[in-house]
Coordinates of all heavy atoms in Angstrom, one line a residue:
S11 N 0.8 -1.2 0.0 CA 0.0 0.0 0.0 C 0.9 1.2 0.0 O 1.8 1.3 0.8 CB -0.9 0.0 1.2 OG -1.8 -1.1 1.2
Q12 N 0.6 2.2 -0.9 CA 1.3 3.4 -0.9 C 0.3 4.6 -0.6 O -0.9 4.5 -0.9 CB 1.9 3.6 -2.3 CG 2.7 4.9 -2.4 CD 3.4 5.0 -3.8 OE1 3.7 4.0 -4.4 NE2 3.7 6.2 -4.2
F13 N 0.9 5.6 0.0 CA 0.1 6.8 0.3 C -0.5 7.5 -0.9 O 0.2 7.7 -1.9 CB 0.9 7.8 1.2 CG 1.2 7.2 2.5 CD1 2.5 6.8 2.8 CD2 0.3 7.1 3.5 CE1 2.9 6.3 4.1 CE2 0.6 6.6 4.8 CZ 1.9 6.2 5.0
Y14 N -1.8 7.8 -0.8 CA -2.5 8.5 -1.9 C -3.3 9.6 -1.4 O -4.1 9.5 -0.5 CB -3.4 7.5 -2.6 CG -4.0 8.0 -3.9 CD1 -3.4 7.9 -5.1 CD2 -5.3 8.5 -3.9 CE1 -4.0 8.3 -6.3 CE2 -5.9 9.0 -5.0 CZ -5.2 8.9 -6.2 OH -5.8 9.3 -7.4
D15 N -3.0 10.8 -2.0 CA -3.8 12.0 -1.6 C -5.1 12.1 -2.3 O -5.1 12.4 -3.6 CB -2.9 13.3 -1.8 CG -3.4 14.5 -1.1 OD1 -4.7 14.7 -1.2 OD2 -2.6 15.3 -0.6
T16 N -6.2 11.9 -1.6 CA -7.5 11.9 -2.3 C -7.9 13.2 -2.7 O -8.8 13.4 -3.6 CB -8.5 11.2 -1.4 OG1 -8.6 11.9 -0.2 CG2 -8.2 9.7 -1.2
D17 N -7.5 14.3 -2.1 CA -7.8 15.6 -2.5 C -7.2 16.0 -3.8 O -7.9 16.7 -4.7 CB -7.3 16.6 -1.4 CG -8.3 16.8 -0.2 OD1 -9.1 15.8 -0.1 OD2 -8.2 17.7 0.5
L18 N -6.0 15.6 -4.0 CA -5.3 16.0 -5.3 C -5.2 14.8 -6.3 O -4.7 15.0 -7.4 CB -3.8 16.4 -4.9 CG -3.8 17.6 -4.0 CD1 -2.3 17.9 -3.6 CD2 -4.4 18.9 -4.6
N19 N -5.7 13.6 -5.9 CA -5.7 12.4 -6.8 C -4.3 12.1 -7.3 O -4.1 11.9 -8.5 CB -6.6 12.7 -7.9 CG -8.1 12.8 -7.5 OD1 -8.5 12.0 -6.6 ND2 -8.8 13.7 -8.0
V20 N -3.3 12.0 -6.3 CA -1.9 11.7 -6.7 C -1.3 10.7 -5.7 O -1.7 10.8 -4.5 CB -1.0 12.9 -6.9 CG1 -1.4 13.8 -8.0 CG2 -1.0 13.7 -5.6
F21 N -0.5 9.8 -6.1 CA 0.3 9.1 -5.2 C 1.4 10.0 -4.6 O 1.9 10.9 -5.3 CB 1.0 7.9 -5.9 CG 0.1 6.7 -6.1 CD1 -0.4 6.4 -7.4 CD2 -0.2 5.9 -5.0 CE1 -1.2 5.3 -7.5 CE2 -1.0 4.8 -5.2 CZ -1.5 4.5 -6.5
L22 N 1.7 9.8 -3.4 CA 2.7 10.6 -2.7 C 4.1 9.9 -2.6 O 4.2 8.8 -2.3 CB 2.2 10.9 -1.3 CG 0.9 11.6 -1.2 CD1 0.4 11.7 0.3 CD2 0.9 13.0 -1.8
N23 N 5.1 10.7 -3.0 CA 6.5 10.1 -2.9 C 7.0 10.2 -1.4 O 6.3 10.8 -0.6 CB 7.4 10.7 -3.9 CG 7.7 12.2 -3.6 OD1 7.8 12.6 -2.5 ND2 7.7 13.0 -4.7
G24 N 8.2 9.7 -1.2 CA 8.7 9.6 0.2 C 8.6 10.8 1.1 O 8.1 10.7 2.2
R25 N 9.0 12.0 0.6 CA 9.0 13.2 1.4 C 7.7 14.0 1.4 O 7.6 15.0 2.0 CB 10.2 14.1 0.9 CG 11.6 13.5 1.2 CD 11.8 13.2 2.7 NE 13.1 12.5 2.9 CZ 14.2 13.1 3.3 NH1 14.2 14.4 3.5 NH2 15.3 12.4 3.5
Q26 N 6.7 13.5 0.6 CA 5.4 14.2 0.6 C 4.5 13.6 1.7 O 3.3 14.0 1.7 CB 4.8 14.0 -0.8 CG 5.6 14.8 -1.8 CD 5.0 14.6 -3.2 OE1 4.4 13.6 -3.5 NE2 5.3 15.6 -4.1
V27 N 5.0 12.7 2.5 CA 4.3 12.2 3.7 C 5.1 12.4 4.9 O 6.3 12.1 4.9 CB 3.9 10.7 3.5 CG1 3.1 10.2 4.7 CG2 3.2 10.5 2.2
V28 N 4.5 12.9 6.0 CA 5.3 13.1 7.2 C 4.5 12.5 8.4 O 3.2 12.7 8.5 CB 5.6 14.6 7.5 CG1 6.3 14.8 8.8 CG2 6.4 15.2 6.4
G29 N 5.1 11.8 9.3 CA 4.5 11.2 10.4 C 5.5 10.9 11.5 O 6.6 11.4 11.5
Q30 N 5.2 10.0 12.4 CA 6.1 9.6 13.4 C 6.7 8.2 13.1 O 6.0 7.3 12.6 CB 5.4 9.4 14.8 CG 4.8 10.7 15.3 CD 4.0 10.5 16.6 OE1 2.8 10.5 16.5 NE2 4.6 10.2 17.7
C31 N 8.0 8.1 13.2 CA 8.7 6.9 12.9 C 8.2 5.8 13.9 O 8.1 6.0 15.1 CB 10.2 7.0 13.1 SG 11.1 5.5 12.9
P32 N 7.8 4.6 13.3 CA 7.3 3.5 14.1 C 8.3 2.6 14.8 O 8.0 1.7 15.6 CB 6.5 2.7 13.1 CG 7.3 2.8 11.8 CD 7.8 4.3 11.8
I33 N 9.6 2.9 14.6 CA 10.7 2.1 15.1 C 10.8 2.4 16.6 O 11.0 3.6 17.0 CB 12.0 2.2 14.4 CG1 11.8 1.8 12.9 CG2 13.1 1.4 15.0 CD1 11.5 0.4 12.7
E34 N 10.8 1.4 17.5 CA 10.9 1.6 18.9 C 12.3 2.3 19.3 O 13.3 1.9 18.8 CB 10.8 0.2 19.6 CG 11.0 0.3 21.1 CD 9.9 1.0 21.8 OE1 8.8 1.2 21.2 OE2 10.1 1.3 23.0
G35 N 12.2 3.3 20.1 CA 13.4 4.0 20.5 C 13.9 5.1 19.6 O 14.9 5.7 19.9
C36 N 13.3 5.3 18.4 CA 13.8 6.2 17.5 C 13.5 7.6 18.0 O 12.4 8.0 18.4 CB 13.1 6.0 16.1 SG 13.6 7.2 14.9
S37 N 14.5 8.5 17.8 CA 14.4 9.9 18.3 C 14.2 10.9 17.1 O 14.3 12.1 17.3 CB 15.7 10.3 19.0 OG 16.8 10.2 18.2
S38 N 14.0 10.3 15.9 CA 13.8 11.2 14.8 C 12.6 12.1 14.9 O 11.5 11.7 15.4 CB 13.6 10.4 13.5 OG 13.2 11.2 12.4
E39 N 12.7 13.3 14.5 CA 11.6 14.3 14.5 C 10.7 14.1 13.3 O 9.6 14.6 13.3 CB 12.1 15.7 14.6 CG 12.9 16.0 15.8 CD 13.5 17.4 15.8 OE1 13.2 18.1 14.8 OE2 14.2 17.8 16.8
K40 N 11.2 13.4 12.3 CA 10.4 13.2 11.0 C 10.5 11.8 10.5 O 11.6 11.3 10.3 CB 11.0 14.2 10.0 CG 10.7 15.7 10.3 CD 11.2 16.6 9.2 CE 11.0 18.0 9.5 NZ 11.5 18.9 8.4
G41 N 9.3 11.2 10.4 CA 9.2 9.9 9.7 C 8.5 10.2 8.3 O 7.5 10.9 8.2
Y42 N 9.1 9.6 7.3 CA 8.5 9.8 5.9 C 7.8 8.5 5.5 O 7.6 7.7 6.3 CB 9.6 10.2 4.9 CG 10.4 11.5 5.4 CD1 11.7 11.4 5.8 CD2 9.7 12.7 5.4 CE1 12.3 12.6 6.2 CE2 10.3 13.9 5.8 CZ 11.7 13.8 6.2 OH 12.3 14.9 6.6
A43 N 7.6 8.4 4.2 CA 6.8 7.2 3.8 C 7.3 5.9 4.2 O 6.5 5.1 4.7 CB 6.7 7.3 2.2
D44 N 8.6 5.6 4.0 CA 9.1 4.3 4.4 C 10.4 4.4 5.1 O 11.1 3.3 5.2 CB 9.1 3.3 3.2 CG 9.8 3.9 2.0 OD1 10.5 4.9 2.2 OD2 9.8 3.3 0.9
E45 N 10.9 5.5 5.4 CA 12.1 5.7 6.2 C 12.0 7.0 6.9 O 11.4 8.0 6.5 CB 13.4 5.7 5.3 CG 13.5 6.9 4.4 CD 14.8 7.1 3.8 OE1 15.8 6.7 4.4 OE2 14.9 7.6 2.6
C46 N 12.7 7.1 8.1 CA 12.7 8.3 8.9 C 14.0 9.1 8.6 O 14.9 8.6 7.9 CB 12.6 8.0 10.3 SG 14.0 7.4 11.1
S47 N 14.1 10.3 9.2 CA 15.3 11.1 8.9 C 16.6 10.5 9.5 O 17.7 11.0 9.2 CB 15.1 12.5 9.5 OG 14.9 12.4 10.9
L48 N 16.5 9.5 10.4 CA 17.7 8.8 10.9 C 18.0 7.5 10.1 O 18.8 6.8 10.5 CB 17.5 8.5 12.4 CG 17.4 9.8 13.3 CD1 17.3 9.4 14.7 CD2 18.7 10.6 13.1
G49 N 17.2 7.3 9.0 CA 17.5 6.1 8.2 C 16.9 4.8 8.5 O 17.2 3.8 7.9

């Protein structure tokens, strides 16, 4: 499954999605589609 913006009807690339990294203990301030700012 890939992120899709229903307002703009486009698939979103890695940096067009921002959230919280799901990796336990990660201190990154930014999680993207499939990797966070700490890799």
Side-chain angles (χ1 to χ4, degrees):
S11 295
Q12 183 173 333
F13 292 108
Y14 187 85
D15 192 316
T16 54
D17 278 18
L18 301 176
N19 295 319
V20 293
F21 280 105
L22 301 174
N23 64 42
R25 293 299 174 98
Q26 290 175 338
V27 181
V28 178
Q30 294 173 258
C31 177
I33 300 297
E34 176 69 15
C36 179
S37 59
S38 170
E39 298 176 0
K40 292 182 179 179
Y42 303 111
D44 52 10
E45 67 166 330
C46 75
S47 60
L48 293 181

